[in-house]
Amino acid sequence: MDKKLVYVPMAADIIHTGHLNIIKESAKLGYVMVGLFSDKAIASYKRVPLMNYEQRKQIVESLKGVDEVVIQDEKDYSANLKQYKPNFLVHGSDWNTGPLNEERQKAIALMESWGGKVIEPEYTKGISSTKLNKNLKELGILPQVRLGALKKALFAKPLIRGIESHSGMSALIIEEACVKDKNGINQAFDFLWLSSLTDSSSKGKPDIEFVDLTSRIATVNDILEVSTKPIIYDGDTGSQIPHFAMMVKRLERLGVSAVVIEDKIGLKKNSLCEGESARHTQDSIENFCAKIKAGKQAQLTNDFMVIARIESLILEMGMEDAIARARAYIEAGADGIMIHSRKKDGAEILEFCKIYNTFANRKPLMAVPTNYPILSEEDLKNAGVNIVVYANQLLRASYTAMKNTALSILEHKRALEADKHYVSALEIINLIEGN
Ligand code: SPV
Ligand code: MG
């Protein structure tokens, strides 16, 4: 090649003038090879991209000044740089700080090793895909886009995390919750869990399928209005087979991404119950498979997921039973398996994972570490879990805060002593748009 090789890494999810500027500058230097981040590479340091790799590739290939597009499968540039040994590496100056900083240092050292040059055009002010994405979020999200977002996240990340939401307020908190980890990578929740326990508890009702679908859907609607994240709905037993089919249609129409149904029949009790009330009746494999099939037949999109929840470990029916059910439920068409456990050490979950991982037709695996918080996300990911759910922590936290506040006011006969434990009224007012 006569021309110098110019390597231009980018995510290019929402194309803006900043990208065009970088390509224009790069084209002045030689042959422009865009190293387009794969979906997994993007998801590893920011959010799941709005467009998938193939769509982004088609767009970038047709931009003026781009000669070639190659895949960059990780946020570390090293593999591609070593393979292509470009004369120039061009990157917007925004990678100086933030989650790509470490990769930048490595890239600079590598480029130097063969006499290549790193060019960092001034980052185009006032525009960035992160900012545009925020604007898009403010516009809201259509049901079908939200529905598809769960599968997209599952495809792009080895482990996704969700937390329960039982109200518009809790959904608002989750929507905004984001921390930077030690590598500068944003950590946020990938989805919301519409827990039957916290939805019914927040209404002061038992978790026994007494809060009916209309009421549960009213909670879903409150949440849909203030959040953009995908939702996994706790469908309890799914009720009777025809009822479950109708539940699937209703959830799908709203833009809910998945439903979890558990293999219990009769009066459903919460799986974390102990003593007398811990006795539940498990459904037959045959009947539960028929329920899964009815749900799958009822859905209209390809994206909606029916996740089958196995109660064998809760009911002490043994590992073999749990594994046999996982096989049967996947055969019946389940898009995922949730394995539940009440034990404190998480050992039976890890044992289940080991066997489950050997399935040829393995589907995403979901775990709910309420009783075994000792297992971290890293532990669960390494064991093969794909979906982790913090199923009730926000409601439990609010209960403690509300109770302490009520007792403090009674004790001191004024609110002054309690005041330091909660946000100001103004903060609450400002949190909610339209106030
Ligand atoms: C829920 O959150 O309602 C669940 C999970 O079903 S558990 O409470 O652990 O059964
Ligand atoms: Mg439940």
Side-chain angles (χ1 to χ4, degrees):
M1 196 192 308
D2 295 342
K3 277 180 154 185
K4 301 260 194 240
L5 180 60
V6 189
Y7 188 75
V8 189
M10 54 175 62
D13 190 18
I14 308 174
I15 297 276
H16 53 73
T17 49
H19 295 106
L20 301 183
N21 183 43
I22 286 186
I23 291 166
K24 200 170 106 195
E25 291 305 311
S26 305
K28 290 179 192 162
L29 300 167
Y31 180 88
V32 174
M33 174 190 274
V34 170
L36 189 63
F37 282 26
S38 67
D39 298 345
K40 282 193 178 75
I42 299 176
S44 74
Y45 75 99
K46 45 184 186 180
R47 55 194 161 68
V48 176
L50 298 170
M51 286 184 288
N52 67 28
Y53 178 79
E54 278 311 316
Q55 293 166 326
R56 290 182 289 115
K57 183 167 183 261
Q58 277 186 37
I59 292 171
V60 174
E61 271 172 349
S62 63
L63 292 179
K64 193 172 149 198
V66 171
D67 294 300
E68 187 180 348
V69 177
V70 298
I71 190 164
Q72 181 173 320
D73 208 18
E74 48 191 2
K75 75 183 173 74
D76 190 323
Y77 308 87
S78 309
N80 275 16
L81 291 181
K82 279 184 199 156
Q83 183 178 346
Y84 300 111
K85 292 205 170 51
N87 305 96
F88 296 98
L89 167 63
V90 182
H91 199 299
S93 57
D94 59 318
W95 67 335
N96 271 319
T97 55
L100 294 174
N101 193 24
E102 199 186 312
E103 284 72 18
R104 173 178 178 266
Q105 306 297 344
K106 271 200 206 161
I108 290 174
L110 259 181
M111 289 293 292
E112 259 169 23
S113 71
W114 55 79
K117 261 189 95 178
V118 177
I119 314 253
E120 298 171 311
E122 174 75 19
Y123 193 63
T124 308
K125 292 231 162 41
I127 191 130
S128 78
S129 57
T130 307
K131 204 166 153 195
L132 287 172
N133 194 44
K134 191 166 173 283
N135 295 350
L136 273 177
K137 265 181 148 185
E138 279 160 13
L139 287 177
I141 186 167
L142 291 169
Q144 210 153 340
V145 177
R146 188 197 298 258
L147 198 165
L150 186 78
K151 264 202 179 165
K152 257 172 128 179
L154 271 171
F155 177 76
K157 293 178 167 189
L159 179 83
I160 60 171
R161 72 164 79 88
I163 190 162
E164 64 91 7
S165 177
H166 54 273
S167 62
M169 169 70 80
S170 58
L172 270 179
I173 292 171
I174 300 163
E175 185 76 10
E176 297 300 323
C178 184
V179 297
K180 278 207 191 307
D181 68 13
K182 60 180 190 322
N183 300 317
I185 299 172
N186 286 339
Q187 299 291 336
F189 291 102
D190 299 295
F191 69 91
L192 305 172
W193 166 242
L194 227 303
S195 156
S196 69
L197 175 65
T198 65
D199 196 7
S200 42
S201 303
S202 68
K203 292 171 170 56
K205 300 283 190 290
D207 182 17
I208 55 172
E209 296 187 287
F210 176 68
V211 178
D212 65 11
L213 189 59
T214 308
S215 171
R216 301 278 317 276
I217 293 293
T219 310
V220 173
N221 271 316
D222 284 342
I223 291 168
L224 289 172
E225 281 184 7
V226 295
S227 81
T228 60
K229 295 186 190 269
I231 293 175
I232 301 185
Y233 182 88
D234 175 1
D236 288 321
T237 65
S239 191
Q240 305 292 318
I241 291 175
H243 296 183
F244 179 53
M246 285 192 259
M247 183 197 282
V248 165
K249 282 203 194 310
R250 195 177 277 189
L251 294 171
E252 197 184 24
R253 196 164 56 235
L254 288 171
V256 169
S257 303
V259 64
V260 176
I261 46 167
E262 57 199 270
D263 54 3
K264 290 188 196 134
I265 46 166
L267 178 63
K268 191 221 86 156
K269 294 281 185 78
N270 184 276
S271 303
L272 304 176
C273 289
E274 291 183 351
E276 245 327 277
S277 44
R279 266 201 221 117
H280 319 276
T281 316
Q282 201 170 15
D283 202 351
S284 69
I285 293 184
E286 197 188 7
N287 191 59
F288 199 66
C289 285
K291 205 182 276 188
I292 294 166
K293 280 187 188 144
K296 289 306 292 172
Q297 271 167 15
Q299 73 184 66
L300 298 176
T301 67
N302 282 330
D303 287 336
F304 189 81
M305 298 172 73
V306 173
I307 299 175
R309 164 171 166 175
I310 297 170
E311 293 288 297
S312 305
L313 304 180
I314 295 281
L315 300 169
E316 301 189 340
M317 298 302 290
M319 192 57 69
E320 253 178 55
D321 184 71
I323 290 293
R325 283 174 181 269
R327 281 192 205 287
Y329 299 165
I330 291 174
E331 279 295 311
D335 301 292
I337 292 291
M338 171 179 153
I339 184 68
H340 207 9
S341 166
R342 248 188 303 135
K343 300 264 168 66
K344 306 268 190 255
D345 59 4
E348 61 183 13
I349 289 290
L350 298 180
E351 195 188 332
F352 177 90
C353 288
K354 255 198 201 134
I355 309 171
Y356 184 77
N357 292 342
T358 65
F359 286 17
N361 57 354
R362 186 191 188 285
K363 299 281 172 176
L365 182 63
M366 178 166 168
V368 184
T370 307
N371 275 15
Y372 51 94
I374 184 143
L375 294 190
S376 67
E377 287 175 14
E378 196 61 20
D379 297 330
L380 292 167
K381 186 174 78 181
N382 292 340
V385 170
N386 310 98
I387 308 174
V388 60
V389 185
Y390 298 94
N392 45 44
Q393 284 76 5
L394 293 186
L395 187 78
R396 285 158 62 195
S398 68
Y399 174 82
T400 309
M402 287 195 281
K403 193 166 172 184
N404 288 341
T405 300
L407 295 179
S408 171
I409 290 173
L410 284 177
E411 193 180 338
H412 300 284
K413 297 195 171 62
R414 63 178 190 183
L416 182 68
E417 287 71 17
D419 258 2
K420 57 181 176 295
H421 297 305
Y422 39 71
V423 293
S424 71
L426 193 60
E427 208 169 316
I428 286 284
I429 293 166
N430 289 338
L431 175 72
I432 295 171
E433 230 182 71
N435 265 327

